[in-house]
Amino acid sequence: MRAHEAGALHADISNQGPAWLRTPADVNALVPALWPRSVTRGADGAVAVAGLSVRDIAAEFGTPVYVLDEADLRSRCRDFRAAFPTEDVYYAGKAFLCRAVVRMIAEEGLYLDVCTGGELATALSAGMPPERIGFHGNNKSVAELGRALDAGVGRIIVDSFTEIDRLTALARERGVRPRVLVRVTVGVEAHTHEFIATAHEDQKFGFSLAGGAAANAAFKILDEGVLELRGLHSHIGSQIFDASGFEVSARRVLALQAQIRDARGVELPELDLGGGFGIAYTTQDDPATPQDLAKRLRKIVDSECAAENLAVPHLSIEPGRAIVGPAVFTLYEVGTVKDLDGIRTYVSVDGGMSDNIRTALYDASYSATLASRASDAQPLLARVVGKHCESGDIVVKDEFLPADVQPGDLVAVPGTGAYCRSMASNYNHVPRPPVVAVRDGQARLIVRRETEEDLLALDVG
């Protein structure tokens, strides 16, 4: 299904659901792969996280609310740290960033990747050691670059010749020699189970490999001698389950490493293969474990380095979604249930595309469960939709909920830790939800709910 700009009547209509979605034997059952590790259904039928009932969370913090399982997030940090003990693991802050999460990932020994001045400000205000911060972005301003240099960030991933000139001038003014990586567009685009290895250099990120821009960027930095070129960076996509795209990417970027060595006599000591590791949003998804990722990425790099007669560079990766995505679910309250005479049943909740734009923007699939109680009713194929004035305001396209779902029920949607709060908006002047972290049966507010007063405070007219 894709929303149509002319309205719902023009959209793809089907009441059968996708082929992979099966009618559950028990509509109350929770699929463990989709939920934070501490989530259970209690004896009273309500979903609980770290021992705390969602009823209590809703009563204290209201709905909609993003619920973060702190122990789950920390355990996923540790899983990556254990799988990549000699490599650098950068948490990709664009997935979700707030000061509490910065402190969590810092305490778990991870590095942090930011891509705007606002993300950098959040990281620094939370006490992240600047030497453990990497700075991405295709259009960093002079002010942003200057702030990064003044703060002493550990590395800057340069993305254009203009940025190299800007950063070089700023470094000369300050008498510093910042560490940089060159972002390389390798001609590989990977998403979910597929990757394409050609004709994907038409994008705003990085320096083209095929066109020679990446090599020229590296030569420029080395020849000018102001910036310290540490290595190359490649990021090929998102929600990736197949390592084949990384194999093609590593082969191409390491061939560039060899070209630089042959032309300038320098073996760059670092290589960043980016992130994009997939998670399970529905039962059709089967993500790799960090241990499996580490094994496959090391094998790829070792093999390609041997082929090019290169020393194996120090490797870094950038998981974001894979750490925070499964650690969060969104809790909503049902407002209306509308049965369109057998065409479809719409379950409307008190949030929607302002707190999760990914369904409308990317045609993303999510799951859901009735969270405030258990039910003996038969499974009903439903569509969970939001409250916004938009036919494409869909949270979950197809899901089996109990046939007796009704106004006042709580519905939980798992896998909403990545990009949901980060991409949230005030569409229809709806305030953004809070983020609540739960640990050992206790909940604490880490990002408060926006209010109408917040919205009006910006309206100076």
Side-chain angles (χ1 to χ4, degrees), residues 215-281:
N216 290 334
F219 295 153
K220 178 180 176 67
I221 294 169
L222 290 170
D223 293 345
E224 292 181 345
V226 177
L227 311 178
E228 182 183 353
L229 181 58
R230 298 293 299 173
L232 304 177
H233 178 285
S234 170
H235 178 73
I236 60 173
S238 60
Q239 190 60 358
I240 302 167
F241 297 145
D242 187 344
S244 300
F246 289 107
E247 182 175 358
V248 177
S249 172
R251 180 180 306 121
R252 294 181 177 185
V253 78
L254 286 168
L256 176 57
Q257 292 257 41
Q259 180 185 351
I260 294 168
R261 175 201 59 197
D262 296 342
R264 293 296 189 274
V266 176
E267 280 205 24
L268 302 180
E270 297 186 24
L271 173 64
D272 190 319
L273 289 177
F277 312 125
I279 67 169
Y281 288 106

Side-chain angles (χ1 to χ4, degrees), residues 122-139:
T122 301
L124 294 174
S125 70
M128 186 74 184
E131 65 273 14
R132 288 167 59 187
I133 298 175
F135 195 9
H136 265 288
N138 69 296
N139 187 24

Side-chain angles (χ1 to χ4, degrees), residues 63 332-339 345-350 370 372-373 380 401-411:
T63 57
Y332 301 98
E333 182 177 324
V334 176
T336 66
V337 178
K338 187 180 295 184
D339 180 10
T345 296
Y346 284 90
V347 177
S348 297
V349 297
D350 53 354
L370 177 62
S372 51
R373 61 183 175 90
L380 169 73
L401 295 173
D404 63 353
V405 62
Q406 58 189 301
D409 282 335
L410 299 177
V411 169

